[in-house]
Amino acid sequence: SGFERLKKTLALFEDEPEFVVIRLYYFGENIDGTPRKEPGKPTWETVADMMEESGTARDPRTLRKWRNKLVNDISVCVFGLPAAIGTGTYREAPEK
């Protein structure tokens, strides 16, 4: 049941434009969702190169920020309040 909950949660985020970073970095897929031929997890520079080839040029630092934001949001959906408290320490406080 935990795996099903995770699959449903990931489905909520698949339409986000930043989700492609999760797909490239963790799932071993290309931008279009097809399996990547190269084994193993790519470096952030490789992910940035793949993004640039698709016409969406981003630097590795931005891609890591996107990954962190999405992983935090996904963890809140899966684990609830304990994850929300943990991710709150990593986000910037809103300016007043």
Side-chain angles (χ1 to χ4, degrees), residues 7-67:
K7 280 177 51 176
K8 288 179 183 179
T9 302
L10 288 175
L12 295 172
F13 290 91
E14 285 181 341
D15 293 333
E16 296 292 322
E18 297 88 2
F19 190 78
V20 70
V21 174
I22 302 293
R23 184 181 306 280
L24 293 170
Y25 192 72
Y26 289 116
F27 296 163
E29 296 177 348
N30 292 314
I31 289 178
D32 60 0
T34 59
R36 195 172 53 244
K37 295 177 183 170
E38 302 84 23
K41 192 169 11 177
T43 64
W44 285 108
E45 288 74 21
T46 304
V47 173
D49 291 342
M50 286 188 260
M51 296 282 290
E52 187 173 342
E53 289 172 8
S54 74
T56 311
R58 296 286 187 254
D59 66 302
R61 185 174 178 215
T62 300
L63 299 177
R64 286 191 303 269
K65 286 180 183 180
W66 286 3
R67 185 261 331 248

Side-chain angles (χ1 to χ4, degrees), residues 12 50 52 69 72-73 85 92 95:
L12 295 172
M50 286 188 260
E52 187 173 342
K69 180 191 176 300
N72 287 340
D73 291 346
I85 293 170
E92 295 178 20
E95 293 186 30

